[in-house]
Amino acid sequence: SERQDNPEIFMDIALLYKGKGMLDRFEKYGTEALKMLLMNGRNSEAAQWAVEMISEDTCSEKGSKLLIRAANNTARSGDHQTAFDIFNYIRKNSPSAAISLKASISLARLLAKSMGNPDHALLVLDEAKRQDIDPRWQESIAEVESGIRRSSAPKLEGEIPTL
């Protein structure tokens, strides 16, 4: 349909509402625009629009899911700082505990693997573990934490000499 092909209309409407201070409407239309951008594979524009959305501090559950998708695409494209900003925002602001935890895990992986900062990654996971969460999430966090610790452990060169 034409609506699917034209997220710009929704972005324009969202920005009009933003200008009037009607942030609930901004979030509603902005989320729809983000969904269309992602569905059309317009990942670079979706990342820019996601940054626009998080700048207004509006975060619904549906919006959070789409923001995570945008952040994952952004990280894959190599724009680690923008992905960091989006994941960090979601983990702190999503109304859904599960989405917040997904964002924490994704942020930790990004920090450890792509940004070379395993210490910060472990701090993010420590903070996530302190939430009142289901045992499956505890297990997921523990697996990621273990992987980060293994990959960031000092590597020994050659054989260990015997004395």
Side-chain angles (χ1 to χ4, degrees):
S1 79
E2 184 158 329
R3 198 181 122 190
Q4 293 285 326
D5 297 333
N6 202 343
E8 287 79 8
I9 291 172
F10 283 79
M11 293 161 72
D12 289 344
I13 293 170
L15 291 172
L16 288 171
Y17 280 122
K18 174 185 170 181
K20 295 189 175 292
M22 299 170 75
L23 297 183
D24 57 331
R25 294 276 183 190
F26 166 75
E27 206 275 337
K28 177 184 176 192
Y29 285 92
T31 297
E32 198 59 35
L34 182 60
K35 178 181 169 187
M36 287 181 215
L37 289 168
L38 290 166
M39 285 174 53
N40 292 324
R42 294 166 60 183
N43 295 332
S44 175
E45 293 166 272
Q48 292 170 351
W49 186 248
V51 169
E52 177 72 35
M53 290 185 66
I54 67 174
S55 73
E56 287 306 316
D57 203 18
T58 59
C59 196
S60 67
E61 186 168 339
K62 178 182 178 185
S64 297
K65 289 177 183 174
L66 293 169
L67 287 169
I68 281 207
R69 206 167 128 201
N72 281 324
N73 292 342
T74 303
R76 276 193 293 278
S77 76
D79 184 355
H80 301 134
Q81 186 58 54
T82 300
F84 172 92
D85 293 342
I86 299 168
F87 283 136
N88 199 39
Y89 175 83
I90 299 165
R91 85 181 173 95
K92 292 178 179 178
N93 296 289
S94 177
S96 161
I99 294 171
S100 176
L101 289 166
K102 275 185 188 176
S104 293
I105 289 171
S106 295
L107 178 61
R109 286 184 172 134
L110 177 74
L111 283 163
K113 292 179 182 169
S114 303
M115 299 178 86
N117 197 339
D119 293 338
H120 191 175
L122 293 172
L123 289 173
V124 167
L125 293 175
D126 282 343
E127 191 176 303
K129 284 192 298 192
R130 287 196 295 270
Q131 296 180 37
D132 182 23
I133 56 175
D134 158 310
R136 289 178 309 212
W137 281 109
Q138 290 285 4
E139 194 176 305
S140 294
I141 290 170
E143 284 175 24
V144 173
E145 193 174 42
S146 170
I148 291 170
R149 289 187 194 287
R150 274 194 312 274
S151 66
S152 65
K155 308 288 186 271
L156 296 174
E157 297 291 325
E159 295 289 318
I160 300 172
T162 52
L163 302 174

